[in-house]
Amino acid sequence: MKWRLQEGRGEAVYQIGVEDNGLLVGLSEEDMKASLKTLRRMAEKVGADITVLREREVDYDSDEPHRIAEVLVRKVPDDQQFLDLRVAVLGNVDSGKSTLLGVLTQGELDNGRGRARLNLFRHLHEIQTGRTSSISIEILGFDSKGVVVNYSESRTAEEICESASKMITFIDLAGHHKYLKTTIFGLTSYCPDFAMLVVSANTGIAGTTREHLGLAMALKVPIFIVVSKVDLCTKSTVERTVRQLERILKQPGCNKVPMLVSSTDDAVTAAQKFAQSPSITPIFTLSSVSGESLDLLKVFFNILPPLSNSKEQEELMQQLTEFQVDEIYTVPDVGTVVGGTLYSGICREGEQLVVGPTDDGKFRELTVCSIQRNRSGCRVLRAGQAATLALGDFDRSLLRKGMVMVSPEMNPTICWRFEAEIVLLFHAKTFHKGFQVTVHVGNVRQTATVEALQGKDELRTGEKAVVRFRFIKHPEYLKVGAKLLFREGVTKGIGQVTKLQPASQYQHQP
């Protein structure tokens, strides 16, 4: 059991009454009780909790009923506070993304006029227009018994962190077309594990829905769909929206298998299958006002296992430290604070790192004063976790989004020019040398010029090529193999970085 829990990063699902070859034999009432008791005692020894996910009767030749059960065993790994999953929330404007998150994290239903989402907004103009324009981050916890921990009982984020053994971090993105660059930045730099596409039942697939679906698929983020606002329209309208979604998901470009979730059993199966094969797309139909089917979504989140297994994470942790800077704040009495994701390695308090590249391609030294995750202090940061680091009196004007903080031993490759293999998704005219586009690679976002196309003079929609780009303002830190998105007006394309042309080796600056 200990090994199983380590494999699944602190979670495992046991099936009782099923033979090794998958035959459903079932156990009689007493045997089942005894088995569960044994399992509970085993779990207590390792310090885990168990919850029965579902029980079923099976038809068997004997007279007495035989049952099978599925049990979730969960234990928080000793070296970290909780399991962490990041879910990006996508969807068209007014599809109810922020409201749904408000209802999930606050624990009370919406009044139909958007009361639930008020706590998620970060700016005054968002409250006035009701449109999200920035990236806000919300958390939802589950304790080891699978009970939801949110703001209804706990006052602060620290309390949620203390009582939860599994945390879902929601990244609420903007739906409006005007804020597309913010949404792309949220998807590329926060590296979400899953994406939740919210579609409103009464408008169906409209506006930026297809675009967001395309973005998530281009970045290979597994996606599941929530049809919201089912209290506003008739059953036939909801069915029509679901059919429309199924048609789009089955198209040759998508190749997904839609799975409509209508009962708790479906939700359990969906969560397990979804993590095994990313081609399965669960579809939930719910309402944030009447609360219909909200518990199915909670069951799904509770069972959803993390994508990467423990082995991959350990490999990343053994590499040198690399932290991507996504946001920069100045906090009174603390100084400069940067938020972002630790891509590889381990970061401790008091560690010496170098940050860059600056406009002239240099790196500067700094010290990490303290670390916080989800507003609660933390001594050690591991690969793949998001956090904020306080840098003391480091000058804020030297920092910008898209920089990296790396350990001084690492020789970072900084480049002005890089080559990428790209596919042009959509373009009004032809794509040629001298064209300027905004390039997104991870947390880097900058305008670049097309310097050369290999073997072709120009590109049209749907064509592939290897292109050399040059950044306009300052050099950036890139990696070969990183996924790349670029856009300019209606032009869009995806690809990956194939070759870097490093600038002269960086000079170390004290």
Side-chain angles (χ1 to χ4, degrees):
M1 183 184 248
K2 213 168 184 178
W3 182 81
R4 281 251 182 270
L5 286 171
Q6 239 170 351
E7 265 304 86
R9 289 187 39 192
E11 285 188 328
V13 175
Y14 278 78
Q15 291 171 336
I16 302 177
V18 182
E19 287 211 4
D20 291 346
N21 58 5
L23 191 68
L24 303 177
V25 188
L27 298 176
S28 64
E29 197 88 0
E30 286 125 48
D31 291 354
M32 179 57 90
K33 273 183 185 155
S35 295
L36 283 174
K37 198 173 169 189
T38 317
L39 194 61
R40 193 165 274 125
R41 276 170 54 198
M42 276 164 63
E44 273 167 15
K45 283 272 194 301
V46 243
D49 277 318
I50 73 170
T51 2
V52 178
L53 293 178
R54 50 183 177 176
E55 280 194 79
R56 278 280 179 78
E57 287 199 5
V58 280
D59 303 332
Y60 206 59
D61 305 338
S62 67
D63 307 331
E64 54 193 89
H66 276 204
R67 308 177 70 84
I68 51 171
E70 246 182 325
V71 185
L72 175 72
V73 184
R74 179 180 292 163
K75 171 186 193 276
V76 180
D78 309 319
D79 54 355
Q80 78 197 68
Q81 301 103 336
F82 41 76
L83 301 162
D84 200 14
L85 286 183
R86 283 196 291 273
V87 178
V89 186
L90 299 165
N92 189 24
V93 63
D94 298 339
S95 62
K97 296 184 291 298
S98 302
T99 303
L100 175 62
L101 290 195
V103 169
L104 284 174
T105 55
Q106 310 297 332
E108 48 189 61
L109 295 175
D110 188 48
N111 61 354
R113 292 207 191 83
R115 190 179 78 204
R117 67 183 181 195
L118 288 178
N119 299 338
L120 274 78
F121 286 154
R122 290 174 54 168
H123 302 291
L124 179 64
H125 69 89
E126 293 181 329
I127 294 175
Q128 287 162 348
T129 60
R131 282 194 186 140
T132 312
S133 70
S134 61
I135 300 170
S136 65
I137 292 184
E138 281 301 313
I139 53 174
L140 173 69
F142 289 97
D143 63 12
S144 45
K145 295 259 193 316
V147 182
V148 177
V149 183
N150 55 18
Y151 285 116
S152 53
E153 280 108 41
S154 331
R155 284 286 119 236
T156 58
E158 289 105 23
E159 282 181 34
I160 294 185
C161 293
E162 276 161 23
S163 49
S165 62
K166 178 177 191 174
M167 299 281 285
I168 311 271
T169 308
F170 291 108
I171 305 157
D172 188 21
L173 302 172
H176 201 276
H177 206 276
K178 188 165 91 177
Y179 307 121
L180 184 68
K181 74 170 191 183
T182 310
T183 305
I184 294 181
F185 181 75
L187 268 178
T188 51
S189 71
Y190 285 96
C191 342
D193 296 312
F194 303 103
M196 171 162 91
L197 183 70
V198 183
V199 180
S200 149
N202 49 4
T203 51
I205 297 172
T208 47
T209 308
R210 283 166 202 262
E211 204 161 309
H212 285 177
L213 183 65
L215 282 176
M217 287 177 56
L219 293 166
K220 298 197 168 45
V221 181
I223 197 161
F224 61 94
I225 297 179
V226 169
V227 178
S228 64
K229 304 191 184 183
V230 294
D231 56 309
L232 283 183
C233 43
T234 57
K235 222 169 184 166
S236 57
T237 322
V238 179
E239 281 167 9
R240 195 176 70 218
T241 306
V242 171
R243 274 203 306 275
Q244 199 182 358
L245 278 167
E246 286 176 344
R247 201 175 315 126
I248 279 195
L249 290 171
K250 286 175 184 166
Q251 278 174 357
C254 277
N255 288 338
K256 301 269 190 209
V257 185
M259 174 177 172
L260 190 62
V261 176
S262 49
S263 66
T264 321
D265 267 358
D266 289 354
V268 175
T269 317
Q272 290 167 2
K273 287 282 174 283
F274 180 52
Q276 287 161 12
S277 78
S279 61
I280 284 180
T281 307
I283 301 179
F284 295 85
T285 52
L286 53 85
S287 158
S288 306
V289 175
S290 65
E292 186 186 326
S293 316
L294 261 176
D295 44 349
L296 297 185
L297 190 60
K298 287 175 184 165
V299 167
F300 178 76
F301 280 135
N302 181 27
I303 303 169
L304 203 56
L307 269 184
S308 61
N309 52 26
S310 44
K311 204 167 101 212
E312 287 171 24
Q313 200 196 10
E314 273 166 23
E315 281 171 11
L316 272 176
M317 273 158 62
Q318 280 152 11
Q319 296 170 6
L320 290 169
T321 307
E322 180 191 322
F323 182 84
Q324 297 185 340
V325 178
D326 294 338
E327 294 200 69
I328 301 153
Y329 328 93
T330 307
V331 181
D333 304 336
V334 180
T336 310
V337 174
V338 293
T341 314
L342 188 67
Y343 186 76
S344 61
I346 291 181
C347 179
R348 295 186 173 82
E349 284 185 4
E351 197 160 340
Q352 298 277 341
L353 297 174
V354 292
V355 66
T358 51
D359 291 356
D360 46 4
K362 306 258 188 3
F363 275 71
R364 291 168 190 267
E365 290 181 358
L366 52 80
T367 312
V368 178
C369 299
S370 65
I371 305 176
Q372 281 198 349
R373 283 186 69 200
N374 285 335
R375 306 186 185 91
S376 54
C378 153
R379 294 260 172 268
V380 183
L381 191 60
R382 292 180 169 73
Q385 298 180 341
T388 51
L389 314 181
L391 307 179
D393 50 6
F394 193 79
D395 186 4
R396 179 180 174 166
S397 58
L398 300 172
L399 294 169
R400 59 182 167 79
K401 277 186 186 182
M403 280 188 165
V404 283
M405 289 159 55
V406 292
S407 53
E409 304 95 73
M410 189 163 158
N411 222 351
T413 45
I414 306 169
C415 60
W416 278 100
R417 296 183 171 80
F418 66 97
E419 285 181 11
E421 190 179 322
I422 62 159
V423 181
L424 203 58
L425 293 180
F426 181 77
H427 190 31
K429 301 194 262 313
T430 55
F431 184 83
H432 50 79
K433 189 182 154 190
F435 202 76
Q436 282 194 354
V437 289
T438 308
V439 176
H440 294 261
V441 188
N443 61 344
V444 170
R445 170 171 83 190
Q446 205 193 132
T447 309
T449 331
V450 176
E451 279 201 335
L453 291 127
Q454 284 184 13
K456 287 183 181 168
D457 292 335
E458 52 185 36
L459 275 185
R460 296 185 181 279
T461 303
E463 292 186 333
K464 267 188 182 177
V466 175
V467 179
R468 189 165 83 234
F469 290 103
R470 180 183 189 282
F471 285 124
I472 281 189
K473 281 211 202 101
H474 29 239
E476 296 280 11
Y477 167 83
L478 295 178
K479 274 199 175 123
V480 174
K483 292 194 185 73
L484 164 132
L485 281 168
F486 60 87
R487 55 179 182 85
E488 175 55 56
V490 288
T491 307
K492 286 181 205 72
I494 55 172
Q496 61 177 8
V497 180
T498 53
K499 189 175 154 199
L500 306 174
Q501 294 190 354
S504 53
Q505 282 307 313
Y506 84 99
Q507 295 87 26
H508 201 61
Q509 232 194 1

